[in-house]
Structure formats: structure tokens, C-alpha cells
Amino acid sequence: MTPGEADLALERSIRDLSLGMGMLTGVAVAYGNRSHAASRIVGLRREVTAGPDGFRTSPLPITQNTVFDLASLTKLFTLLCVLKLMERGYLRPGDAIADVDTRFRHLGDCPVMDCLGYRASLRTPQRVDAQESRADALAMVFQTRRVPLEGERVYSDMNALVLKHVVETAAGLPFYDAVREMVLQPAGMRETWARVPEQRRADLMDYNYEHRVLDGRYVLETSALPGLPHDPKARILSGQGDDLQGHAGLFSTMGDMCLLAQALLSGDIIPKETLRSIGENRTGYLQPDGGYRQFLGLLCFSKSPVARLSEVPGWMGQRAFALAGYTGNHLAIDPDLGVFDLVLGNRCHNRVSTILPKESAASYGLAPGGEGTVDWPDGRRVKSSFQYVYRKDDMLHTPAAACLRARGWMEGPGVGRAGA
């Protein structure tokens, strides 16, 4: 397969997923190594707007300048700040969270490394995003406690949310300033923000008007306005973007995220050996019943024997790591192959993103893969992004791998061009 043929196959697959199945309003997919990157962009960053008379078509295309809500990809920036502070001697892996930041008085039994590697399961007495005010939500964060690690899924927002405050205390800087100094500036990233500048707000992806069906109730989200974090915890805690959170809240462009991946592969932010340690499994193992607990590394997913419990593409190696963002994003990096795979999409805007219980999806007319439309009570037929997360591997990551192989961008022994 030639590079051109591989790129066309990737674009066809992106179009099938977004324009054909309708699971995304649009998507930007990029792939590359430390020196090169290529991308494909398909679809819209906004389909509709709503007013007193209901919804009306109002299309805006995705461009190279589109600004995406990174959602949980923000955790990677938190991780990098913690690793930099350890490298500089401001933090030690065994430091108790409560000793670093005394406001976390219930976390005297939680070392920084346990929090970083998900060996600590953290929980608040009440939901952070259910609080009445930002002050109440922040007070709830500082009530975080360590609880027994149970079940097959151990991934959580709380670890990164807590570590944001650890970074601030250890660095003596507001979190966004720490991110700029330790990550954005070394990577040359000039289009990544906690609060998107006024002159760039017209480029924002619109994640508003997310539809959910919850136990037969039809719920329409109208508060995720462009420029505010889609994540409800980040939204209440960050105010208007002035206080970046550790688990979500950053906005960026495809170009800037490629620069981040390339800077990591080049060793410009953290040493390459440190990069290789991120994907080391710290939580997963084979359970007595024959199942596996989720494999997680440092605030990221590790390569797992169970694909549904991981975000690392199947073609990547054992030291690869990945993160997915609820809004439709995904970043995977393989330090051994020397490549990255980036997806920036929109599965929220004007889509049915969630159906609970999952087993009821067929009763709403959806195909087994989650595609289709749902009849909304106001008479609209709303496209579904339900189960999108399970379509990424075959429709986005696998064709991106073929592009990397066709260009000869993968490193390591035994790696060659596709078809060679």
C-alpha cells in the first residue's frame, strides 16, 4: 500500500464513521513520529443552534484552526507536571498527599505515586459536580478519601483532580502557569489554553446539545457552551476557565497536540526512559474468575489483554500508553515504535451519546454497533454516538497505523512498510 492509498483508506473510514454512520459531527485524525506528521479532517464543528423556535441548521466546518475541548487528555499535562517536579526534586514518589498539601487531611495514607499510578482509589463523600457552588465543590474535593481498590475498572478523574493541587503547592504556581512553564513552552505549543482568547472563540468546537436517554428519560444538555469545559466537575470548579483542573479543562488545536506528541517522542519534555515508564501496568492482573482488572499506567491506560478495558490501540506495543476524552478525543503514543496517533472529534453535539441501561439500545431503533437515530419527543430524529468508543479501533486507529507503516515512520526492529 502506498502512502496515498493508505491516506485515502483512512479518509474513507473517517467519512463512514462520521458522515455515513453519523457517530461524530466531524473529526480530525493525525498521526506521525518525532519529525513528521500528517492529518485528515472531515465534517463539522457545529451542526445546529437552538432558539425559542427550536433547532435550526447552522453548519460550521472543522478547519486546521478549530479549537477542541481536550477533556480527559488534560490528565497527560497533569502527569507531565508531576514528573517534572519529581525530576527537579520538588516532589518524591513516597510523599504523602496530605504532607504536600495539608488541605487533603484525609490523604495521609496516600503517597503521590499511588495516586499517580491508580494504586489508590479516591472518592469524595458526595459528587463534586452536584454541589451548589464553586466554593462547595472545591471544599468537597478536599474531602477526598482513599477507599479499597475494587472491581475491574479503576480509572477515575479524582486522581488527576487531586494531583492538580499537589502540583500547585509543590511548584508554587497556579496550575495553568505550571502547565505553561513545564509543558507548553518546551513543546512550542501556542494554541493551548484554559481560557480560550476572545479572538479565537469563533474557532471553538461546539459540544452543546448532547442528548441522553437515562432509564427512559430523555435528557438534553444545554449548559456546555463553547469555551466552557464540557466536563461538569471542571465546569463548576474552573469558573470561567480561570482555574484549570487536573482532569479536564484544557482546549487545544490539532497542530498543538501534534507538537506535544512529537516533543514527548523527542525527549524535549521528559527523558525518553521516563516516557517509556508511563505505560507500565500498575493496576491490572488476572483475577481468580479468569477476568482481568483494568491495566493502567501513570494517569494513562496501559496495553491490556482486554480491549474494552483499555484505550491503547491493538497494533501498539507493550510500552504504549493512551488517553481518551469524553468529548470524542484520543491520543496514543508508542515510545518503542516512535509514533503517535491522535483523534480529535465531537461525539456530543446534537448526538445521543448515552443510553442506560445499555441493553435497551435496540428498543430505540439502534443497530448492534450503536449507529442509527433515536426518535426524540419533540419529533426530531437524533443521530447516535452511543458505542462510538468501540468503533475507534477498527475505523480510526487501524487505518492510521496503515498510514504510518506505508510512510515508513515506525521505528524498531522488524518494522517495515506495509506490504513489504
Side-chain angles (χ1 to χ4, degrees):
M1 184 182 292
T2 67
E5 290 169 340
D7 276 349
L8 286 175
L10 173 61
E11 182 160 345
R12 282 196 299 269
S13 193
I14 294 171
R15 288 183 175 276
D16 285 346
L17 185 64
S18 56
L19 306 184
M21 297 180 186
M23 283 197 159
L24 299 159
T25 68
V27 61
V29 175
Y31 59 88
N33 59 17
R34 61 186 175 183
S35 304
H36 305 284
S39 63
R40 281 289 186 272
I41 298 173
V42 171
L44 302 174
R45 59 187 171 89
R46 188 184 74 193
E47 290 182 342
V48 298
T49 54
D53 299 325
F55 285 90
R56 63 181 179 86
T57 301
S58 182
L60 290 173
I62 297 177
T63 71
Q64 294 284 343
N65 295 321
T66 296
V67 178
F68 298 85
D69 181 342
L70 295 182
S72 283
L73 269 58
T74 302
K75 293 182 176 75
L76 179 57
F77 295 80
T78 305
L79 165 64
L80 295 173
C81 287
V82 174
L83 293 177
K84 291 294 290 183
L85 289 169
M86 287 183 177
E87 179 185 308
R88 295 173 181 178
Y90 291 108
L91 279 176
R92 293 170 299 182
D95 288 342
I97 299 291
D99 290 341
V100 179
D101 190 330
T102 57
R103 293 172 295 182
F104 289 104
R105 62 184 185 276
H106 301 292
L107 292 180
D109 60 347
C110 183
V112 170
M113 187 54 75
D114 279 12
C115 187
L116 198 65
Y118 289 109
R119 289 193 291 253
S121 179
L122 305 181
R123 191 173 300 164
T124 50
Q126 301 172 20
R127 288 189 61 90
V128 172
D129 54 348
Q131 303 308 300
E132 293 292 330
S133 67
R134 180 172 178 268
D136 290 342
L138 186 58
M140 188 58 61
V141 170
F142 292 123
Q143 290 291 315
T144 301
R145 293 159 165 80
R146 186 170 186 169
V147 299
L149 200 62
E150 297 176 341
E152 67 173 8
R153 294 181 182 270
V154 293
Y155 178 80
S156 169
D157 285 343
M158 291 308 303
N159 299 55
L161 210 160
V162 166
L163 285 169
K164 159 252 175 52
H165 297 282
V166 170
V167 169
E168 287 187 328
T169 303
L173 292 170
F175 184 53
Y176 180 54
D177 289 347
V179 168
R180 282 194 298 186
E181 189 263 312
M182 297 185 215
V183 183
L184 304 186
Q185 291 172 4
M189 300 170 71
R190 297 181 176 86
E191 295 185 315
T192 302
W193 308 279
R195 179 198 280 266
V196 179
E198 190 64 36
Q199 66 269 24
R200 295 301 303 275
R201 295 182 70 82
D203 294 319
L204 279 160
M205 179 73 81
D206 189 344
Y207 301 95
N208 208 10
Y209 313 128
E210 181 181 2
H211 298 63
R212 298 186 179 99
V213 182
L214 309 175
D215 297 316
R217 295 182 297 112
Y218 293 81
V219 179
L220 174 64
E221 173 66 64
T222 60
S223 58
L225 301 175
L228 294 179
H230 181 277
D231 179 88
K233 293 188 294 296
R235 196 155 64 233
I236 190 172
L237 286 166
S238 68
Q240 295 298 312
D242 295 317
D243 187 9
L244 176 64
Q245 300 304 301
H247 70 292
L250 277 176
F251 295 81
S252 189
T253 62
M254 179 178 64
D256 251 24
M257 290 303 292
C258 288
L259 288 176
L260 173 63
Q262 291 177 319
L264 288 171
L265 290 169
S266 299
D268 294 337
I269 299 176
I270 56 174
K272 292 183 181 179
E273 281 307 308
T274 304
L275 185 73
R276 291 188 180 98
S277 74
I278 290 174
E280 178 185 334
N281 168 38
R282 289 167 171 82
T283 62
Y285 60 87
L286 180 64
Q287 301 182 106
D289 64 1
Y292 284 88
R293 190 164 73 176
Q294 202 168 44
F295 282 39
L296 296 175
L298 300 180
L299 289 191
C300 291
F301 287 85
S302 301
K303 186 71 175 288
S304 170
V306 184
R308 67 178 176 83
L309 295 177
S310 180
E311 293 292 348
V312 177
W315 57 269
M316 286 191 171
Q318 291 302 314
R319 290 201 284 193
F321 61 90
L323 273 169
Y326 179 86
T327 47
N329 305 327
H330 192 280
L331 175 62
I333 296 177
D334 189 323
D336 291 335
L337 292 176
V339 294
F340 71 90
D341 170 5
L342 172 68
V343 174
L344 295 172
N346 189 343
R347 64 176 291 264
C348 299
H349 175 68
N350 200 34
R351 292 295 184 273
V352 177
S353 65
T354 307
I355 296 178
L356 292 176
K358 291 183 178 181
E359 296 74 23
S360 66
S363 67
Y364 295 97
L366 299 184
E371 66 269 26
T373 60
V374 173
D375 292 328
W376 208 251
D378 62 6
R380 291 177 298 122
R381 295 182 64 83
V382 185
K383 294 176 183 177
S384 164
S385 66
F386 179 67
Q387 303 286 51
Y388 156 70
V389 294
Y390 300 112
R391 307 304 294 269
K392 288 186 295 185
D393 249 10
D394 60 331
M395 301 198 71
L396 298 178
H397 299 307
T398 297
C403 292
L404 286 163
R405 292 191 189 97
R407 280 182 159 78
W409 285 355
M410 289 189 185
E411 301 172 1
V415 174
R417 291 179 181 273

